[in-house]
């Protein structure tokens, strides 16, 4: 039966590939019609040019928006090859690369979610269909519109988390992603906490701890390499720039879909200060607890998405395009509906898809003049949809995720990546 199912799936792959290609082509044409600037890609190229010229990386202001460098120095090293391309070729390659990364990201997410009824092993076909739809979600549109690296970072992380526990290179992707942009470092903390929890219940603690250690060593190696090549820039970043969240952008910007952004708009203040710090600490602790407990239960997809959502919630700035993790989140909610049925689960699947495909956060006053500080409650609700959805996802895991049953005999984080149907 498995052979017959696989043969049938292979026959359907060309149809899925054609639909995906058609959707991607329409998406590309829509972006060209919208005359997207790919402004962040231009910043990346300017960073690479600054590295090659030996300039001051964190004094850089580029493009018509005078955008600064905000990533660690290692990222600028990786951007230097962009200087070898002309602008048109660079934009084309960036778009094609991001579309391919979307398919890879979806495939890895399905690998973590595991086989589904009536879908079985048709993971490639499913990944193509899902990618054809997911490309139209707001985080994907803005990621490609700006030429962002979000999908690359997400693929590096999921490539790690979907590998066999204890694999020699498991952790490398998380470490490199954190060296490019600091937010993925929370995954290493999650893995370390998972190992500690396994040790407390006398479980197999070595794989997650080894995973976390490889991530830490990879991060340190990439950071030290950047320090050797760019000593002045590295010193400035790690002693000063890393603490200046205001360099990234205005906290109240409607595109800032983090706790800090929501609080800034809710309190009508440019800087929520200690209130944000307390809220972020509480949400970070809760999110990590839920993620660790999910990992201990063998629910690897839920653990990964919960950790990603937690990182985006507690980050000082999480632009809407950072929420590419909406794809595995929606897949996980959908998988639950497929496995267990029920109107409420299917309604939840539709709600998640609607939130990230509606572009509702842009229906509110925004732009020049700090209009977000004057939003009413209805507008604040629309501009907090990503945060609200992430909270709902996180809190849904609380009954299963709090560590009160840590001694319970459940399947640990030791399988090959298939989630079980007890989410």
């Amino acid at each position: 039966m498995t052979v017959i199912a696989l043969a049938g799936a292979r026959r359907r792959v060309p149809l899925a590939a054609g639909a995906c290609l058609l959707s991607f082509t329409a998406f590309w044409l829509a972006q060209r019609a919208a005359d997207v600037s790919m402004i962040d890609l231009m910043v990346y190229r300017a960073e690479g040019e600054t590295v090659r010229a030996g300039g001051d990386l964190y004094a850089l202001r580029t493009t018509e928006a005078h955008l600064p460098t905000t990533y660690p120095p290692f990222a600028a090293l990786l951007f230097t090859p962009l200087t070898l391309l002309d602008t048109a070729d660079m934009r084309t390659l960036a778009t094609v690369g991001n579309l391919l990364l979307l398919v890879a990201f979806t495939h890895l997410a399905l690998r973590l979610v595991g086989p589904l009824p009536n879908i079985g092993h048709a993971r490639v076909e499913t990944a193509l269909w899902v990618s054809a739809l997911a490309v139209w979600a707001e985080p994907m549109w803005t990621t490609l519109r700006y030429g962002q690296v979000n999908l690359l970072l997400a693929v590096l992380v999921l490539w790690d988390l979907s590998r066999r526990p204890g694999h020699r290179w498991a952790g490398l992707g998380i470490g490199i992603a954190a060296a490019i942009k600091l937010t993925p470092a929370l995954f290493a903390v999650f893995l370390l906490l998972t190992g500690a929890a396994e040790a407390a219940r006398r479980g197999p603690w070595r794989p997650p701890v080894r995973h976390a250690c490889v991530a830490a060593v990879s991060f340190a190696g990439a950071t030290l390499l950047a320090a050797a090549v760019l000593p002045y820039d590295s010193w400035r970043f790690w002693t000063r720039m890393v603490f200046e969240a205001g360099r990234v952008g205005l906290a109240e910007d409607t595109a800032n879909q983090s706790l800090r952004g929501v609080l800034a708009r809710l309190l009508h203040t440019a800087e929520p200060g200690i209130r944000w710090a307390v809220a972020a600490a509480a949400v970070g602790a809760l999110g990590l607890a839920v993620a660790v407990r999910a990992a201990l239960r063998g629910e690897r997809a839920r653990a990964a998405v919960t950790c990603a959502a937690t990182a985006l919630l507690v980050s000082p700035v999480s632009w809407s395009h950072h929420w590419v993790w909406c794809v595995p989140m929606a897949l996980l909610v959908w998988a639950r509906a497929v496995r267990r049925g029920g109107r409420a689960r299917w309604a939840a699947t539709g709600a998640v898809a609607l939130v990230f495909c509606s572009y509702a956060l842009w229906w509110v006053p925004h732009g020049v003049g700090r209009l977000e500080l004057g939003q009413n409650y209805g507008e604040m609700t629309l501009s907090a949809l990503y945060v609200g959805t992430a909270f709902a996802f996180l809190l849904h895991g609380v009954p299963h995720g709090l560590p009160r049953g840590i001694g319970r005999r459940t399947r640990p984080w030791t399988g090959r990546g298939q989630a079980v149907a007890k989410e």
Side-chain angles (χ1 to χ4, degrees):
M1 293 296 294
T2 301
V3 173
I4 295 175
L6 287 172
R10 290 194 184 98
R11 287 195 297 269
R12 294 191 299 269
V13 165
L15 176 61
C20 186
L21 181 60
L22 181 63
S23 178
F24 283 4
T25 301
F27 178 87
W28 194 327
L29 292 174
Q31 290 242 317
R32 293 199 61 173
D35 194 24
V36 297
S37 63
M38 303 191 79
I39 191 169
D40 288 344
L41 182 64
M42 302 307 295
V43 175
Y44 300 158
R45 185 182 189 183
E47 291 179 22
E49 290 173 341
T50 302
V51 169
R52 292 187 62 183
D56 187 339
L57 192 59
Y58 294 100
L60 175 68
R61 291 292 187 279
T62 188
T63 73
E64 65 277 9
H66 303 287
L67 297 177
T69 300
T70 58
Y71 294 176
F74 179 69
L77 288 182
L78 297 184
F79 296 148
T80 52
L82 296 177
T83 62
L84 304 178
L85 302 170
D86 63 40
T87 301
D89 289 343
M90 179 182 66
R91 289 178 172 175
T92 299
L93 289 175
T95 301
V96 172
N98 266 326
L99 292 173
L100 293 175
L101 285 169
L102 173 57
V103 176
F105 185 46
T106 305
H107 177 77
L108 290 170
L110 286 167
R111 182 179 178 184
L112 271 184
V113 170
L116 297 171
N118 303 321
I119 296 176
H121 299 277
R123 191 177 294 144
V124 172
E125 177 197 357
T126 307
L128 290 169
W129 282 113
V130 172
S131 299
L133 298 173
V135 71
W136 296 97
E138 191 274 342
M140 301 304 168
W141 175 275
T142 47
T143 286
L144 276 86
R145 171 189 176 187
Y146 297 135
Q148 264 282 342
V149 295
N150 306 307
L151 284 167
L152 172 62
L153 302 181
V155 166
L156 285 172
V157 170
L158 271 195
W159 177 80
D160 258 3
L161 296 180
S162 62
R163 297 185 72 79
R164 173 176 55 83
H167 188 279
R168 177 181 305 178
W169 300 110
L172 178 64
I174 292 173
I176 297 300
I180 297 172
K181 197 171 185 177
L182 296 178
T183 310
L186 191 68
F187 284 94
V189 177
F190 151 69
L191 289 167
L192 194 60
L193 291 175
T194 301
E198 287 283 19
R201 71 174 194 172
R202 298 184 179 180
W205 58 271
R206 287 184 177 85
V209 171
R210 175 188 172 87
H211 201 158
C213 289
V214 172
V217 170
S218 303
F219 170 79
T223 301
L224 290 174
L225 173 63
V229 178
L230 303 168
Y232 174 71
D233 292 319
S234 295
W235 173 259
R236 286 195 71 197
F237 180 82
W238 293 108
T239 59
R240 179 182 170 186
M241 301 304 171
V242 70
F243 303 108
E244 296 184 359
R247 284 173 53 83
V248 181
L250 300 175
E252 75 275 7
D253 195 317
T254 191
N256 184 12
Q257 293 294 300
S258 71
L259 277 175
R260 182 167 170 259
V262 169
L263 284 174
R265 293 187 291 271
L266 179 64
L267 300 173
H268 303 291
T269 177
E271 182 49 67
I274 189 65
R275 288 165 289 193
W276 164 70
V278 172
V283 171
L286 177 62
L288 285 172
V290 173
V292 168
R293 185 62 179 129
L296 296 180
R297 292 172 60 88
E299 299 170 359
R300 301 180 68 181
R302 177 172 291 280
V305 177
T306 299
C307 185
T310 302
L312 291 169
L313 286 171
V314 303
S315 176
V317 175
S318 294
W319 300 127
S320 66
H321 53 74
H322 294 166
W323 285 87
V324 294
W325 286 92
C326 67
V327 173
M329 181 185 291
L331 283 174
L332 196 57
V333 178
W334 173 62
R336 184 178 176 84
V338 170
R339 287 171 179 147
R340 297 189 176 185
R343 292 182 179 178
R345 295 186 181 95
W346 284 109
T349 304
V352 172
L354 180 63
V355 164
F356 290 103
C357 293
S358 66
Y359 296 67
L361 75 161
W362 299 111
W363 300 354
V364 304
H366 62 278
V368 179
R370 312 190 79 163
L371 301 177
E372 290 90 341
L373 292 177
Q375 288 182 356
N376 59 40
Y377 286 112
E379 292 164 346
M380 282 188 281
T381 299
L382 290 177
S383 63
L385 282 177
Y386 291 9
V387 172
T389 303
F391 259 116
F393 180 86
L394 189 155
L395 293 175
H396 178 73
V398 167
H400 308 292
L402 290 176
R404 61 189 177 192
I406 202 167
R408 181 179 172 184
R409 294 177 63 83
T410 53
R411 193 173 69 141
W413 185 280
T414 55
R416 288 190 63 85
Q418 285 80 17
V420 293
K422 52 178 182 180
E423 298 163 22

